[in-house]
Amino acid sequence: MDVKNKKVLQSEATRAELIRVASDLFAERGYAGASLEDIAGKVGLTKGALYHHFRDKRALFEAVVAQVLEDDLVRIQVESRRVTSHLEENSWDRLMVLTDLFLAGFLDPRARRIVWVDGPAVLGWERWHHVVSEPTLDRIVAIVGVMEERGVIEPRMRRPLAQLMFGAVQEAGMAIAHAPDREARRAELASALRWMLETLFRRRPSPR
């Protein structure tokens, strides 16, 4: 391995460690309570050295939001494979499991505080929405694809319906994250979301 490649790998490893440590501190203390000095110190860097990887605290926080969200989406993928291994690939029950796993993710304290509570306030709604929507929407497009493959919806409706579902799931997530009793709120919204999806995908409009 040449010196240039080694430096690139070291830089990537340091960046990943900064995100990991920052994630712990942002989850524990919130955005306002976690200082760049503390984050850099836990990685063995000076604050000045941290700026070689992130231009400011907000940029580091954005990277943390993206990573926490990605970790949660990977969790959903792995868990869904485990609990639906006995189900038909494109079954309705499989879709319902994926939906429940999405909502359960909003109960995680780390994701709740970083992505859903501090995220919009720190990044601003427009930037936060962009960071959160892109990877999440891709997963929902795949879920809606299950219905397309079953012949329930037309291919042209896949993306628009996914966009509408994303709006519903995002709003549910915000409601769960800010609820006094998050588990009760999740159960309530999960039931409503299942009803909505069943109505949307199982009840075809009557021919005119």
Side-chain angles (χ1 to χ4, degrees):
M1 182 182 299
D2 59 39
V3 174
K4 183 177 180 180
N5 286 339
K6 186 176 180 180
K7 287 183 177 180
V8 169
L9 291 175
Q10 288 175 339
S11 178
E12 290 175 350
T14 300
R15 188 178 191 278
E17 183 65 4
L18 284 167
I19 291 173
R20 186 192 68 78
V21 169
S23 175
D24 289 342
L25 291 181
F26 287 140
E28 177 187 345
R29 306 176 187 176
Y31 179 80
S35 70
L36 288 182
E37 290 86 350
D38 287 344
I39 294 169
K42 286 183 177 293
V43 181
L45 298 176
T46 63
K47 183 178 176 180
L50 184 150
Y51 287 127
H52 289 294
H53 301 276
F54 298 97
R55 68 179 180 274
D56 53 26
K57 185 178 178 181
R58 186 173 179 274
L60 173 57
F61 181 75
E62 181 175 321
V64 169
V65 170
Q67 186 61 57
V68 170
L69 182 66
E70 178 61 25
D71 290 345
D72 191 51
L73 293 173
V74 169
R75 175 196 62 80
I76 291 170
Q77 185 176 20
V78 171
E79 185 69 7
S80 68
R81 287 175 179 172
R82 183 184 68 81
V83 301
T84 64
S85 59
H86 63 291
L87 298 176
E88 180 186 345
E89 180 66 26
N90 295 334
S91 69
W92 177 260
D93 288 338
R94 196 180 187 94
L95 175 62
M96 290 299 96
V97 167
L98 285 168
T99 302
D100 285 343
L101 286 172
F102 261 113
L103 292 186
F106 298 123
L107 298 174
D108 176 69
R110 178 182 300 260
R112 174 184 171 272
R113 183 160 199 176
I114 292 174
V115 178
W116 304 103
V117 175
D118 284 351
V122 173
L123 300 179
W125 176 260
E126 185 174 347
R127 184 60 190 168
W128 174 83
H129 187 271
H130 173 75
V131 172
V132 171
S133 68
E134 191 170 324
T136 308
L137 183 58
D138 285 346
R139 272 34 173 225
I140 295 178
V141 167
I143 291 173
V144 176
V146 170
M147 296 297 101
E148 180 189 329
E149 291 165 11
R150 295 180 69 202
V152 176
I153 64 171
E154 300 176 21
R156 67 184 179 85
M157 297 299 293
R158 183 174 184 173
R159 188 82 184 182
L161 282 173
Q163 190 77 55
L164 292 173
M165 284 178 63
F166 169 73
V169 170
Q170 177 179 283
E171 180 59 28
M174 296 296 285
I176 293 167
H178 291 83
D181 186 342
R182 290 186 287 278
E183 182 56 58
R185 190 69 171 137
R186 185 205 65 80
E188 179 184 49
L189 289 168
S191 177
L193 187 57
R194 282 194 296 271
W195 179 87
M196 186 182 75
L197 293 176
E198 183 169 347
T199 301
L200 177 65
F201 288 133
R202 281 188 168 180
R203 298 179 185 175
R204 301 279 190 91
S206 300
R208 292 182 179 179

